[in-house]
Amino acid sequence: MIKINTYKNYLEHEVKELLEDQLFSKNCTHTNRDSYGPFACSDWVIPTLITIHFVQPFVSSLITELGKDAYSQAKTKLSNFSGKAKLKSRIEPTLGNIELKTKFSIDLSFTAQINDEKILKLMFPVAFTDEEYSDATSCYLDFLKDYELGLTSLESIGVELDNRFLKISRSIGVVYVPELKSLRWHNPMPKELIEEIHREVERKKHNRE
């Protein structure tokens, strides 16, 4: 099952086309929210204008039930949809008269339910082109397929499963790296904080010795 959440007046025609497509018509639900307002939170947590969420192993079930051709078609259609999202004019988040500078675009995100009730979230950097949107979507779906089939792991894209933040957070953010043609984990903890934690761990270790 796929859940598509959108905000009013954004990519309505494109979403309608996707919902009417034979591959998605029986597997999608759509929620249209009224308006997009300001959000006081880290930019990687800010809701996007469109969120496409995979509730269950949709990718691998496509291959199992409908064959590889169906998966390829679905991947192409979702990748093309991503490119269209980038081509549309964006509504930047604001707080009063203050424009918030964000690292990640608020146009679109993909999320998927994975093991241990975690959510794998694909985010798109603001600087990405429409082609990179499409490439990122294709790579994300391939990763989901391989992950569901047991052919890859979160560690392979740099996720530190023992990370303190991941132990309390439900969401795991990932970003596509064009130079590597691969996904990589986005660690939301500031570099300075990570270094401080490492120093504290080493200090306690030294004191015990």
Side-chain angles (χ1 to χ4, degrees), residues 162-177:
D162 59 348
N163 180 275
R164 294 185 181 185
F165 178 82
L166 290 186
K167 291 183 183 298
I168 61 173
S169 174
R170 188 166 178 244
S171 183
I172 301 174
V174 294
V175 179
Y176 175 70
V177 181

Side-chain angles (χ1 to χ4, degrees), residues 4-155:
I4 301 178
N5 296 316
T6 64
Y7 282 90
K8 191 174 181 179
N9 300 323
Y10 190 73
L11 281 181
E12 291 179 341
H13 177 70
E14 289 79 2
V15 170
K16 183 179 178 181
E17 282 188 338
L18 196 61
L19 291 169
E20 291 175 347
D21 188 279
Q22 186 176 357
L23 277 170
F24 302 105
S25 59
K26 295 180 180 179
N27 297 292
C28 287
T29 61
H30 178 219
T31 301
N32 191 6
R33 297 170 178 169
D34 289 336
S35 60
Y36 191 92
F39 294 91
C41 54
S42 301
D43 64 343
W44 77 282
V45 181
I46 293 176
T48 50
L49 291 167
I50 295 181
T51 302
I52 298 180
H53 178 65
F54 299 99
V55 182
Q56 60 185 25
F58 176 80
V59 178
S60 58
S61 65
L62 264 181
I63 298 175
T64 303
E65 298 172 17
L66 301 177
K68 293 182 179 179
D69 289 343
Y71 168 69
S72 297
Q73 292 172 27
K75 186 170 73 167
T76 297
K77 291 179 185 297
L78 288 170
S79 297
N80 289 340
F81 180 86
S82 295
K84 291 176 183 177
K86 174 61 179 179
L87 287 172
K88 291 288 184 178
S89 58
R90 293 198 304 272
I91 303 171
E92 297 298 339
T94 59
L95 187 62
N97 294 322
I98 303 173
E99 182 177 351
L100 301 179
K101 298 297 183 181
T102 62
K103 179 178 180 180
F104 300 109
S105 170
I106 65 162
D107 291 330
L108 173 70
S109 65
F110 284 83
T111 59
Q113 190 81 40
I114 58 173
N115 292 342
D116 300 324
E117 306 248 334
K118 296 289 187 182
I119 299 293
L120 193 69
K121 179 180 180 180
L122 174 66
M123 303 173 292
F124 298 91
V126 172
F128 264 20
T129 65
D130 55 316
E131 183 177 357
E132 287 169 331
Y133 263 59
S134 296
D135 291 344
T137 301
S138 178
C139 184
Y140 178 75
L141 292 172
D142 281 343
F143 178 82
L144 277 185
K145 171 178 66 69
D146 290 343
Y147 183 80
E148 290 169 7
L149 296 174
L151 301 176
T152 191
S153 65
L154 293 174
E155 292 94 331

